[in-house]
Amino acid sequence: MIWKAPFAAVVAAFLAMLPSNAAQAEDGYDLWLRHAPLEGEALDALTVRPLAVVSDQAGNATVDIALAELRAGLSNMTGRAVATAAEPGATLIALDCDHPQIADGGAFSLNGSSNGLTVYAFEPLGCLYGAYALLRDLAQGTPLGEIGYSDAPAMPLRMLNHWDNPDGHVERGYAGRSIFDWWHLPERLDQRMIDYARANASIGINGVVVNNVNARAFMLEPRYIVKLARLADAWRPYGIRVYLSARFSAPRDIGGLPTADPLDPAVRAWWKAKADEIYAAIPDFGGFLVKANSEGQPGPQDYGRTHADGANMMAEALGDRGTVIWRAFVYSEFDDTDRHAQAYAEFVPLDGQFAPNVIVQVKNGAIDFQPREPFHPMFGAMPNTRLMLEAQITKEYLGFASHLAFLAPMWEEVLEADTGHGATVAEVVAPVGMAGVANTGSDRNWSGSDFDQANWYAFGRLAWDPSLSSETIAREWAAQTFSRAPAFLDSVVPMMLGSREAVVDYMTPLGLAHLMDTGHHYGPAPWVCDLERPEWNPCYYHRADAHGIGFDRTERGTHALAQYAPSVAAQWADPATTDPIWLLWFHRVSWDHPMPSGRSLWAELVHRYDSGVAAVDAMAATWADLAPYVDAQRHRAVTENLAIQANEARWWRDASLAYWQSVNGRELPAGTPSPAHALDYYRSLTFPEAPGN
Ligand code: GCV
């Protein structure tokens, strides 16, 4: 076997030339916490001397997790064992989790010294966050000696909302079944529950609502409280508090009362007793999330009471132990005003009436998580109410799990928006927090696709620090998840940053919205005009006819624009000066309307659809070139998703154009390919089995 040694040497030399991790097959389970082997200066800095990770507070559950994470992460990155006690001459990573000069709430400071680095924090959770931050920096290839800064979360509440049902189905979930195995809890706690907490803690998530806002009352029963308590115990060391979506009619549904009227003393007593029962099992229970009087859910209006009456009643039951998060996502089929205006109309008059432990949770836009929406006019309009932002991480309206759409630019757009009330959206919600509708599921890669992990990551990072740029987040995530090679990052980051705009272009360009098919929201159906609830019809939103297209929300139309502060409304009042990305959201214009590009509206619309399709083709080409940097398994998975996306982008473009042509009778601009099929074909497609419905 004389050839073996040289052959092995040649293989080793060849592998060394390849970008890191190219040879290892990976299934995505490790998310951004892979801690891939370092090289060069970053490796030298950690291996020049023996490495030790220590803390005087070892023995505290949270500190122990921080120590274990650092030891495992450093060992993976350096290929060396990491000592658990200080040794003379060692590089020492120390955790000081009892430091009076650091603020509470998770703040930390990373301080380098000649013999290593100390993570200072006021409390163990700060040390845990500091440990994850240190690992994040190292995993991106930053040499230890260059790391030194302080950080603190900008928002107190950084939470995920799961739309997971107790039977394992996830509403708007595209990553398999629910990660919560309620059936086997409390006896069996899946390892995934720990890995999930770990992933969340690594990005600063500190609250989880475990069940769907379309809630089942039985999840408040004792048999579920013990299950929840097991989860709470498992997640506590990771700094995560559990919350429950509570069905407002629970006193009637499971409590044996004839009513759920929030002003009824028996109902109030029922909620108080229920809260006491939960706190007896879970002393740090976070509180209730409530969807009331929305899409068929029960609520205080069923009894002629207001949202404030309902929220305050539950807040009284929790007392200073917890928080009621009351959703502002309300609209009614019995209200014929513009759906856009209904939440503001219901909630803004209640400003100042909510109890101190009530938070009103507002979706980023006034309709429903569309690929692009202007910020919700409630932000800034309720100065005496604690408002929290709700974003959707799962891509209900952005192509499910198979379309690559990095959502940080969408959230950045909202967070940076100036409300005209003296604050940006980020500034309005910073004292309270952000919630993201989770995209996790039982799929091995958690999110249904590798790139959807980036949205989970980005949500956490933005909730921690809304001033982070999408580019920074994309770079961090891609370096940790795939490869830190500059050539890879310089290519993949721009691809990610442009990906959401591509979806907007091929689905709902120029301010169009809600053109997805009914119920499951998969694929285009702009032709749907006959659903019983008017505001569920795509036609309600596009209002296209032979003369023009778009929703007039100016004073000539529904006047919903008036809900924005005057300086903001002024930007969107005139179609001639409205940024084209919002044009059809606020205006109805003729197909010949002149656009800033010099094209007519019709030509511009076609151009945008084509741009969206071309952008997906470009993403696929970029990704193909990146094969040397990514393990074959994940590279192939992304490639296959991009192929689905390329087909579906064309489907969206072709079906939409075929429909618009049937309405406006216009030819496509010269040189533009015709839709592949006639409109009837697109209309005939049905997908009753589409996931997440
Ligand atoms: C949980 C949209 C979704 C629903 C979701 C609702 C909400 O309407 O399609 O699935 O219900 O928003 O946010 O409550």
Side-chain angles (χ1 to χ4, degrees), residues 163 171-172 214 291 295 327 329 363 368 396 521:
W163 287 358
E171 182 159 345
R172 312 310 177 186
N214 293 328
K291 173 176 177 178
E295 298 187 331
R327 294 177 86 229
F329 177 68
K363 286 191 181 180
D368 190 11
E396 172 180 0
H521 298 154

